[in-house]
Amino acid sequence: MNFFTALIGTCKDTKVFAKLLSQSMGRAFWHLCILVFICSLFIMLCTYAKTSQKIDETFAQAEESFGDIQVNKNGITPKNIIGGKSLLVADNLQRITYLPSIGEGNLPEIDGDDVNSGLLWTPAIFAPWVKIGPDNFLLLPFAYCSNKQLTAESIQRSAIASYIKDNTSVKDKFVCHLPELSWSVLRDYYKNMLISAEFSGNLVGIILQVLFFVMMFSFILNLSAKNTGAPVLKYSTRFTIGIYASFPPLLIATMFRAFELPLLSFSSVYIICFSIYLIVVFTRLQLDFNAQRPDKTE
C-alpha cells in the first residue's frame, strides 16, 4: 500500500488496518518519515512569518542600541558605545554583552536572568554562545582578531576570560566567517540558521516521539485468540499498526503547533489522540479477528 492510500485510509476509518497488517515495518517507517517531513514543513511555513518578524525586531533593537559594527585598528567595536553594555533581546531570552576590555578574573554573568544563549563581544572577538551546562558554554567565534584558526569551543565559565586573552588580540589579523560583519548579514545568517535548526529539530523530535510511544503502546496492547487468550500478532506487526495509527494524531497535533493554538502542546495533543485512536484500532481488529474465528466449542 502506498503512502497516500495509507494516509487517507487511516484518516477515513479503521477498516484499512486489516490490510495494513501485511505491511512491512520498514515500509511503515518510511511512510512515517514522509508524513513527519510534510508536517515539519507545514509547521515551518506557518510559523516562518512570525519567527522572521521576531528576528528582524531583535536585530533592529541591537543596531539601534549599539550602532554599526566597526572593524578598524581598535578591533571590532560598536559605533554608539564606548564603555561596556549588556542588552537583553528576543523577549529577554538572549543577551548581547559588549566588553571594551577583558580584565582579570571571570567575565560578568552573561547568563544571568535565566538566559541560555547570547552574544559575547569584545574588540578582539565577536562570538555567539549557548549554555550547555550549569557552568559550561559553547562559544562560536564568528569574527575575531587572531593569528590562530578559532572554531566552536566548549568552555567552562571560569576559563572564558583566559581563552579570549590567550587566543585573541586587536593587534592580530582580523578573521570573519561571514561575507561581511554587519547586523543585516548577521540577521540573514541567524534567520537561515534558526529556521533550519527548528525544521530539523521538529523532524527528528517528532519521529523519535512517535517511535517511543508506538513502541510503548504496542508492547502493552495486543490481539489475543478468542479461546486461548494467546497473542496472535507479532510485536513487529503491532509496531507497524501503531505507526499507521499515529498518522491522524500527528496531523491534529501539527495543526496545534502550526497555528499556535492555546492550552495544549504538540506532545499533549499527540499523546491524547494517539492513545485513544490506537485503542479503537486494536478493538476493531480484535472484533474482526473474533468474527473470522468462531468459537469451536459451539
Side-chain angles (χ1 to χ4, degrees), residues 23-286:
Q23 201 88 318
S24 69
M25 186 189 296
R27 191 171 182 82
F29 177 72
W30 172 240
H31 288 171
L32 172 65
C33 291
I34 295 174
L35 180 59
V36 173
F37 178 85
I38 294 173
C39 291
S40 299
L41 185 62
F42 183 75
I43 291 171
M44 185 190 73
L45 293 175
C46 289
T47 58
Y48 175 81
K50 186 175 182 179
T51 302
S52 180
Q53 182 181 358
K54 284 185 177 180
I55 294 173
D56 290 341
E57 291 173 353
T58 297
F59 279 91
Q61 182 184 358
E63 186 171 8
E64 181 181 354
S65 298
F66 291 94
D68 295 336
I69 303 172
Q70 302 178 126
V71 180
N72 49 39
K73 64 180 182 179
N74 297 319
I76 310 165
T77 59
K79 185 177 180 180
N80 296 348
I81 302 296
I82 298 177
K85 184 178 179 65
S86 178
L87 176 69
L88 284 171
V89 295
D91 297 328
N92 297 332
L93 296 177
Q94 296 181 328
R95 174 182 279 111
I96 301 175
T97 305
Y98 175 73
L99 301 172
S101 63
I102 300 294
E104 297 297 329
N106 296 334
L107 291 172
E109 196 171 280
I110 58 176
D111 58 326
D113 303 315
D114 297 324
V115 173
N116 292 314
S117 62
L119 173 68
L120 180 57
W121 181 5
T122 77
I125 192 169
F126 192 93
W129 59 267
V130 179
K131 193 173 182 181
I132 56 177
D135 287 299
N136 201 24
F137 298 80
L138 180 65
L139 207 62
L140 305 161
F142 274 6
Y144 49 87
C145 299
S146 177
N147 293 323
K148 303 175 183 179
Q149 185 74 22
L150 302 184
T151 57
E153 188 88 18
S154 176
I155 307 176
Q156 291 292 321
R157 183 192 304 274
S158 58
I160 295 177
S162 59
Y163 171 85
I164 295 174
K165 287 188 289 185
D166 294 343
N167 292 282
T168 64
S169 171
V170 293
K171 298 178 181 179
D172 293 336
K173 179 179 64 174
F174 174 71
V175 179
C176 184
H177 295 300
L178 298 172
E180 177 189 353
L181 190 58
S182 65
W183 293 118
S184 59
V185 172
L186 282 167
R187 180 196 62 210
D188 294 340
Y189 178 85
Y190 185 79
K191 194 177 293 187
N192 292 333
M193 182 179 66
L194 181 62
I195 290 172
S196 299
E198 285 186 353
F199 174 78
S200 301
N202 284 334
L203 187 66
V204 175
I206 293 173
I207 288 177
L208 292 178
Q209 180 172 268
V210 169
L211 292 179
F212 172 77
F213 284 105
V214 167
M215 178 180 65
M216 184 177 67
F217 277 89
S218 299
F219 180 78
I220 296 172
L221 298 175
N222 188 28
L223 301 181
S224 58
K226 186 175 181 180
N227 298 317
T228 65
V232 296
L233 291 181
K234 294 180 180 179
Y235 181 80
S236 59
T237 305
R238 304 201 304 269
F239 194 88
T240 299
I241 293 299
I243 288 178
Y244 284 111
S246 70
F247 282 14
L250 268 179
L251 294 177
I252 297 171
T254 295
M255 295 300 170
F256 268 77
R257 170 78 67 81
F259 299 121
E260 299 181 336
L261 299 178
L263 301 180
L264 295 175
S265 65
F266 177 94
S267 298
S268 300
V269 174
Y270 169 74
I271 294 170
I272 293 170
C273 294
F274 174 67
S275 57
I276 294 173
Y277 190 55
L278 187 62
I279 291 172
V280 172
V281 168
F282 268 67
T283 301
R284 170 63 184 265
L285 290 174
Q286 182 72 74

